[in-house]
Amino acid sequence: MIDFIPVNEPLLDGNEKKYLLDCIETGWISSEGPFVKQFEELFAAKVGRRWGVAVANGSGALDIAVQALGLGQGDEVIIPTFTIISCAASVVRAGGTPVVVDSDPITWNMDVRQIETRITPRTKAIMAVHVYGLTVDMDPLLELARKYGLRVIEDAAQMHGQTYKGRPCGNFGDISTFSFYPNKHVTTGEGGMIVTDDVALAERCRSLRNLCFQPAKRFVHEELGWNYRMTNLQAALGLAQLERLDSFVTLKRSMGEKYNRLLSGVTGLLLPLPSTVYADNIYWVYGVVLSHEIGFEAEEAMKRLAAKGIGTRPFFWPMHEQPVFKKMGLFTHVSCPVAERIARRGFYLPSGLALTDLQMERVADMLKEILA
Ligand SMILES: *Cc1c(COP(=O)(O)O)cnc(C)c1O
């Protein structure tokens, strides 16, 4: 039996154990512990924001961001169709309407050239989501937001340590969100962060994270929030991970470049773009798309790789093709051909920080075999 190569394995060999032990020894395990504030401050500073609000996960960060901006009934929010459900769900749960744009065929990020055609008098915000390794082209997006007076939410969940034209991801728009799920460059097991420069917005996020308890009359509520608090245990992990972010990014980039070398020239395989004029690929995950020469789709390729002991994940499934939203009457007559194609033809290879050179070589060999 060959060893299975999982799609993701995190690296936890820095100060993680030391800080976790500190939590146990001091008894600070809830969200009241001191690591939470330290993690918020260090994280916000890292992306050049004034305020950080640590939360239970990246999906919750989006829920809070949408609510904090006051988006709701009758409001349209422009989002990429090629993203995780959390983006559309946060808008729908707030009572708003997500409006999708297709992907750029090369970077897989939202095609910002399509945004203006989706703007209506009801449009209130744009949610920019950077996917897989390259960033959304932010300058034209921000220009449109200025022109039409729209709020901007930046979902930078996959972009820890990435920059756009030298400026850190997490530094764009009114509010930015992150996730610390184990496949993200910084993990807390489960966790998320909201960052902003606006003190009032930060305070609203803190309140929404904590059930909208009121300082004066704790159990009297003017508004509904969530319990989306991050624990001291999670923040302990996060702090230890954050100390090593720069080396993680260097490691991810060298892994991406190694896959590029191993897979260059393989017929039927479209590889990720190493860079655009505004960003170098950070290879959050190493995604590939099967080209028309291949007579089967990603699902079949992933099945064949699994049989050879290689773990993979499919690409996102477009929001406009989600049964849950179709049942709500959303996205009728929407077509986004690029996202529809890459969703069916794309998947990603083992990309975790603990992946070894030898494992990458085996992944590349097996991939070539199943495509031959
Ligand atoms: C991972 C991710 C999220 C959700 O984060 P969770 O912590 O898993 O809830 C949101 N947006 C994007 C782009 C992500 O990759």
Side-chain angles (χ1 to χ4, degrees):
M1 179 64 194
I2 39 164
D3 287 338
F4 190 78
I5 303 178
V7 73
N8 179 65
E9 207 180 322
L11 264 188
L12 301 167
D13 54 359
N15 282 323
E16 286 83 354
K17 199 184 255 180
K18 180 172 161 220
Y19 297 164
L20 278 173
L21 262 178
D22 181 280
C23 297
I24 292 165
E25 282 164 1
T26 61
W28 285 112
I29 54 172
S30 78
S31 60
E32 296 288 318
F35 284 133
V36 178
K37 196 158 178 289
Q38 274 176 262
F39 184 41
E40 287 177 338
E41 287 175 0
L42 196 69
F43 194 91
K46 195 93 187 162
V47 296
R49 291 284 207 179
R50 290 182 62 202
W51 309 104
V53 180
V55 293
N57 54 67
S59 305
L62 287 167
D63 284 333
I64 292 177
V66 166
Q67 195 80 24
L69 287 175
L71 302 168
Q73 201 70 46
D75 297 336
E76 292 178 0
V77 179
I78 296 175
I79 67 168
T81 194
F82 188 70
T83 186
I84 190 166
I85 191 91
S86 316
C87 300
S90 64
V91 176
V92 171
R93 287 215 177 97
T97 306
V99 173
V100 294
V101 301
D102 201 356
S103 305
D104 176 286
I106 306 296
T107 69
W108 309 327
N109 272 291
M110 74 195 293
D111 187 348
V112 295
R113 291 163 303 190
Q114 296 182 17
I115 293 175
E116 196 162 20
T117 66
R118 302 293 188 280
I119 295 176
T120 75
R122 286 186 300 278
T123 309
K124 290 289 169 356
I126 306 171
M127 190 182 284
V129 188
H130 313 291
V131 291
Y132 296 169
L134 291 166
T135 68
V136 175
D137 190 3
M138 290 304 290
D139 278 349
L141 184 150
L142 293 170
E143 185 47 42
L144 283 173
R146 259 191 302 274
K147 183 173 163 190
Y148 291 94
L150 309 177
R151 311 305 292 267
V152 173
I153 300 171
E154 179 195 20
D155 181 351
Q158 308 179 350
M159 292 295 134
H160 308 262
Q162 177 61 300
T163 57
Y164 170 84
K165 296 186 178 172
R167 180 173 157 191
C169 290
N171 193 267
F172 292 88
D174 298 281
I175 198 164
S176 307
T177 63
F178 286 87
S179 162
F180 305 120
Y181 189 70
N183 63 1
K184 309 291 160 84
H185 292 171
V186 167
T187 184
T188 61
E190 301 286 350
M193 185 78 75
I194 301 160
V195 291
T196 179
D197 290 322
D198 181 333
V199 65
L201 210 47
E203 279 313 307
R204 256 185 83 63
C205 291
R206 281 184 207 291
S207 177
L208 287 164
R209 158 184 80 175
N210 195 26
L211 294 166
C212 295
F213 285 134
Q214 300 195 91
K217 291 193 170 196
R218 184 173 175 83
F219 293 109
V220 179
H221 301 263
E222 299 288 342
E223 253 194 291
L224 287 182
W226 294 269
N227 176 0
Y228 276 156
R229 299 184 299 259
M230 173 181 275
T231 69
N232 203 48
L233 294 160
Q234 290 166 301
L237 271 180
L239 211 51
Q241 289 266 295
L242 196 55
E243 290 169 354
R244 302 200 296 158
L245 176 57
D246 296 341
S247 68
F248 285 170
V249 168
T250 304
L251 179 57
K252 280 295 248 223
R253 287 212 162 105
S254 72
M255 290 168 68
E257 284 156 18
K258 186 176 172 73
Y259 266 138
N260 283 341
R261 280 193 303 277
L262 290 168
L263 296 171
S264 77
V266 175
T267 307
L269 215 50
L270 301 169
L271 304 180
L273 196 65
S275 59
T276 58
V277 294
Y278 44 80
D280 293 329
N281 204 316
I282 202 168
Y283 302 102
W284 169 62
V285 291
Y286 193 87
V288 296
V289 173
L290 302 174
S291 62
H292 60 91
E293 288 108 328
I294 304 296
F296 51 82
E297 300 207 318
E299 202 170 302
E300 173 65 20
M302 293 190 300
K303 211 186 295 169
R304 291 186 190 187
L305 282 169
K308 293 185 179 291
I310 312 291
T312 56
R313 282 282 181 287
F315 269 17
F316 291 130
W317 197 252
M319 292 306 108
H320 70 281
E321 295 195 278
Q322 295 291 342
V324 61
F325 294 140
K326 288 283 180 202
K327 277 183 262 179
M328 293 176 181
L330 285 166
F331 309 127
T332 47
H333 314 299
V334 171
S335 113
C336 297
V338 175
E340 288 162 24
R341 178 175 54 82
I342 62 177
R344 287 161 176 80
R345 310 284 296 176
F347 59 100
Y348 59 88
L349 303 176
S351 312
L353 284 159
L355 195 69
T356 65
D357 277 359
L358 227 60
Q359 287 178 314
M360 292 177 70
E361 284 156 26
R362 215 178 92 221
V363 171
D365 286 344
M366 293 302 120
L367 183 53
K368 287 179 202 169
E369 242 181 72
I370 66 135
L371 295 176

